[in-house]
Amino acid sequence: MNPQLQKQIGVGALAGIILAGLIYFLLGGKRTDLEAIHADVKNLQDQVDKGKLLKASYEKLREEVAKQDKRIEELIKIMPSEADYGEIPYRIKKVADDAGIDQVSFSLKPERKDTYYTEKPVEFEFRVGFHSFGQFASLVSGYDKIINISNIEFTRKPDIHSAYPAMVKCTISAFIYNPEPPPVDSAKKPAGPAPKANAKED
């Protein structure tokens, strides 16, 4: 091989090595920046994925809240009002007549307040047959408002051949919707009358 050609090849190889080293040296900082950018992109992608999951959870929760609100509205519609409560003794008397039992008496009992409703119980006493009272309870369960039968007490009468061989005491409660009013802000309370100034003596 020509010595001159060998010399040119050697110089070219050396120049290539120097150039590659120079490029590697100059791009060293850029590689670090690129790695940092890749890390930022991954972090942003993780945040985006987390946001998508949160949005999906929020949409699901919002749908569930809307369903619960609808159920509450439907329940409120079938809760008795104060007017319904006043009619209960007369409505129950009609149901008792339809079931073939005899209403003897009724008395209003102390009400019990809760956060969203007030339970207003009425104690009834009936002369009954066992089967006819079962029919009465069935008719009450079909009442168009939310009422409840509790504290049922049977007393068997001596004459078992009577049309009404037993006495029954029970409590029928109406549940009236009345949520607690929001607390009054003390800052919004109207101020009392200003004190009158004492008149000066002459």
Side-chain angles (χ1 to χ4, degrees):
M1 182 181 290
N2 189 338
Q4 185 66 26
L5 181 60
Q6 285 182 342
K7 184 177 179 181
Q8 289 178 352
I9 292 172
V11 170
L14 181 61
I17 292 170
I18 292 172
L19 181 62
L22 185 62
I23 291 172
Y24 181 84
F25 176 76
L26 292 175
L27 293 181
K30 299 297 181 183
R31 282 199 310 277
T32 303
D33 292 344
L34 188 60
E35 289 172 359
I37 289 172
H38 280 308
D40 289 342
V41 169
K42 184 178 184 306
N43 184 48
L44 287 173
Q45 186 61 50
D46 290 343
Q47 294 295 327
V48 169
D49 293 341
K50 185 178 179 181
K52 287 179 180 178
L53 287 173
L54 287 173
K55 183 180 178 183
S57 299
Y58 167 75
E59 294 293 338
K60 186 176 180 181
L61 181 61
R62 187 171 66 174
E63 289 176 5
E64 187 62 30
V65 168
K67 287 179 183 176
Q68 293 299 329
D69 285 344
K70 187 175 180 181
R71 288 183 61 191
I72 290 171
E73 287 176 5
E74 291 171 353
L75 283 172
I76 290 172
K77 288 177 183 176
I78 60 174
M79 293 184 80
S81 64
E82 287 286 352
D84 294 324
Y85 170 67
E87 294 178 0
I88 280 181
Y90 310 102
R91 300 275 303 263
I92 294 300
K93 175 68 168 65
K94 184 178 184 307
V95 172
D97 291 342
D98 292 342
I101 66 177
D102 182 33
Q103 180 176 310
V104 177
S105 65
F106 70 88
S107 59
L108 306 182
K109 295 298 178 182
E111 62 186 38
R112 185 179 68 85
K113 282 189 173 292
D114 205 326
T115 305
Y116 296 103
Y117 65 85
T118 299
E119 179 184 356
K120 294 197 170 189
V122 183
E123 186 177 81
F124 289 87
E125 186 172 8
F126 302 100
R127 294 190 301 164
V128 303
F130 295 102
H131 294 294
S132 57
F133 184 77
Q135 184 181 357
F136 168 79
S138 176
L139 291 172
V140 169
S141 69
Y143 193 73
D144 58 356
K145 298 292 182 179
I146 299 177
I147 59 175
N148 180 55
I149 302 181
S150 61
N151 303 328
I152 301 173
E153 297 179 10
F154 274 92
T155 304
R156 186 186 294 272
K157 293 172 68 175
D159 184 4
I160 61 172
H161 300 293
S162 169
Y164 302 111
M167 296 292 293
V168 172
K169 280 186 179 180
C170 64
T171 301
I172 298 180
S173 300
F175 297 89
I176 298 173
Y177 177 69
N178 55 347
E180 291 288 335
V184 178
D185 189 352
S186 57
K188 295 182 180 179
K189 286 183 179 178
K196 294 182 180 179
N198 293 327
K200 285 186 177 181
E201 296 181 0
D202 292 337

